[in-house]
Amino acid sequence: MSMLDRKVLRDLWGMRGHVFTIILLVATGVTVLVGSVSTYVSLLSTQETYYRDSRFAELWADVKRAPRYLLQGLSEIPGAALVEARVIKDVRVAWPQSDLSVAGRIISIPADEQPQLNRLHLIKGHWIDSLRRNDVLVNVGFAETWDVAPGNFIDIIMNGRMQTFRVAGIAHSPEFVYASRPGNPLPDDRTFVVLWAGEGAIAAAFDMEGAFNNVAVSLAPGASAESVMSVLDE
Amino acid sequence: MFQFYNLIPNLTVRENVQLVTEIVNNPMRREEALALVGLSHRLDHFPCQLSGGEQQRVAVARAIVKRPDAILCDEPTGALDVETGKLVLAAITRANEEVCATTIVITHNTAIAGMAHRVLRLSEGRIVGVEVNPHRLSPEELTW
């Protein structure tokens, strides 16, 4: 060992308290950094997996009322992989437990099966029954806030008429990781509820039979969102 | 050599001398250099355990262990009392004779000129006088 190396070792030993503290500090910093980075990577991976497994759509378009036969044309747009038409309407919910008025958004889903895009995760209960027109799924945030359980009933004012629906299940949607009422950026599970019901019930109430007012689109691998959007707009 | 020794405080006498042997070819044995300055009995002491004169003698040993052609001593006795200064000057004299290195001692102490072969007097950066000592004194004979 050279004398300079020996000198350095003795210097370090002479200030071993400081050296130990610095090592501890650096080790803590590295641990925090590694922990933070791995948590971040893990969250990104979980997010990606969740949206992929849920078949989260990449594009949405709203129209006032479009006949269903247009759907064939939409599905032929170059770059569009899956196209799903839905009826989405803002409604009011009669919810006596709440002092404030409760707003809702009701979305049509196929009876007896998951939609092709934006698949729901059923937390409790079962899927809506095609034989029961008044079955509805309620988003998990509202259900947990108000202790809503499958089998409960919920009164929804649709197009000025109140209809009573039976809660078939509690669900979570990739579209509503947190649910906020239109115009309010903050999540509000006390006064906003997302509902999924069969298309027949919604269409009948809003005069949307044979029509849709929202379309969700997923892109083919490598497709450009801009080009699909421009064709969709046309 | 410096007025204030400049030894490395956490290396022993032996290690301080060894340090410079690592950067030269064909150095003297460190124990031999330390024996020349009369410090064979203090090899494993740290600088803080030595007197000022002993520390300066370690510095002399550190200078000669490289077998240099010239040794430049900057006020080597400036921080020492008379008796200790004489010991250091004796060590420098012995090193000069044994190693045959040209030794230049810079000092404000004119008494030290008595032991030199040749004395150059400087004033404002210029040599103003050169004397050759016909009869050199030994360090023990010097007084100031």
Side-chain angles (χ1 to χ4, degrees):
Chain A
M1 182 190 293
S2 84
M3 287 305 113
L4 280 179
D5 292 338
R6 189 171 293 189
K7 174 191 179 304
V8 170
L9 289 177
R10 286 183 186 159
D11 284 342
L12 290 173
W13 181 248
M15 49 185 184
R16 53 191 175 279
H18 291 83
V19 172
F20 178 71
T21 308
I22 291 167
I23 289 172
L24 205 63
L25 202 66
V26 171
T28 308
V30 170
T31 306
V32 170
L33 177 71
V34 170
S36 303
V37 169
S38 55
T39 304
Y40 177 69
V41 170
S42 170
L43 281 172
L44 280 183
S45 163
T46 305
Q47 181 194 40
E48 194 180 320
T49 306
Y50 173 67
Y51 284 127
R52 187 182 59 239
D53 291 351
S54 304
R55 298 195 194 170
F56 190 48
E58 278 142 320
L59 296 174
W60 286 263
D62 288 314
V63 290
K64 201 165 181 68
R65 188 180 194 283
R68 278 216 165 254
Y69 67 81
L70 285 180
L71 201 54
Q72 179 63 33
L74 292 177
S75 62
E76 288 169 2
I77 293 174
L82 285 172
V83 178
E84 190 160 59
R86 306 180 295 180
V87 178
I88 299 179
K89 288 289 180 182
D90 289 332
V91 295
R92 293 192 55 201
V93 175
W95 195 253
Q97 296 95 315
S98 172
D99 296 332
L100 298 170
S101 67
V102 175
R105 172 161 294 185
I106 194 162
I107 301 168
S108 68
I109 50 174
D112 294 331
E113 63 174 0
Q114 283 273 5
Q116 291 187 79
L117 295 174
N118 304 320
R119 290 171 164 247
L120 304 180
H121 295 258
L122 205 58
I123 311 280
K124 278 186 202 167
H126 58 81
W127 199 254
I128 57 171
D129 192 333
S130 59
L131 299 176
R132 298 177 68 120
R133 233 175 125 90
N134 67 339
D135 265 3
V136 73
L137 300 179
V138 176
N139 76 309
V140 67
F142 185 83
E144 284 180 352
T145 303
W146 292 108
D147 282 334
V148 179
N152 292 167
F153 290 91
I154 184 167
D155 293 328
I156 304 172
I157 300 159
M158 303 207 298
N159 210 13
R161 285 181 54 209
M162 185 150 77
Q163 292 186 46
T164 300
F165 282 79
R166 189 184 70 100
V167 177
I170 311 299
H172 191 274
S173 162
E175 280 184 285
F176 297 95
V177 172
Y178 64 90
S180 61
R181 56 196 303 166
N184 183 359
L186 298 174
D188 181 8
D189 288 324
R190 294 184 64 80
T191 63
F192 183 69
V193 57
V194 184
L195 304 152
W196 293 271
E199 192 179 321
I202 306 173
F206 289 97
D207 190 24
M208 293 290 286
E209 275 115 343
F212 62 90
N213 70 346
N214 175 277
V215 65
V217 180
S218 70
L219 298 175
S224 153
E226 284 75 19
S227 65
V228 175
M229 279 163 69
S230 64
V231 179
L232 198 61
D233 286 342
E234 287 169 17
Chain B
M1 281 178 56
F2 308 96
Q3 184 174 356
F4 294 107
Y5 332 134
N6 289 347
L7 301 179
I8 292 174
N10 58 2
L11 293 183
T12 63
V13 166
R14 193 198 306 262
E15 290 164 348
N16 262 286
V17 176
Q18 165 129 16
L19 178 63
V20 295
T21 66
E22 292 175 357
I23 58 169
V24 291
N25 295 321
N26 190 30
M28 189 186 291
R29 281 184 60 245
R30 58 193 176 174
E31 287 80 7
E32 191 182 340
L34 284 161
L36 275 174
V37 297
L39 284 176
S40 296
H41 61 297
R42 303 287 253 166
L43 297 181
D44 294 318
H45 289 76
F46 286 94
C48 64
Q49 297 170 307
L50 304 176
S51 69
E54 287 172 323
Q55 289 187 51
Q56 192 61 297
R57 280 148 67 195
V58 175
V60 174
R62 186 177 61 182
I64 63 174
V65 77
K66 294 178 286 184
R67 300 184 192 277
D69 292 328
I71 303 173
L72 188 61
C73 309
D74 179 16
E75 293 275 15
T77 60
L80 305 173
D81 62 69
V82 177
E83 291 310 314
T84 313
K86 284 181 183 178
L87 287 176
V88 169
L89 290 173
I92 291 173
T93 304
R94 191 156 176 219
N96 169 243
E97 289 165 355
E98 299 282 335
V99 183
C100 300
T102 303
T103 305
I104 302 166
V105 176
I106 296 120
T107 181
H108 285 90
N109 185 348
T110 51
I112 293 176
M115 61 178 268
H117 291 95
R118 186 185 298 256
V119 180
L120 305 178
R121 295 186 189 280
L122 295 166
S123 177
E124 296 180 355
R126 291 178 180 279
I127 296 172
V128 294
V130 180
E131 298 160 23
V132 175
N133 262 342
H135 303 292
R136 292 175 59 218
L137 299 175
S138 69
E140 293 76 19
E141 293 172 309
L142 298 175
T143 52
W144 66 85

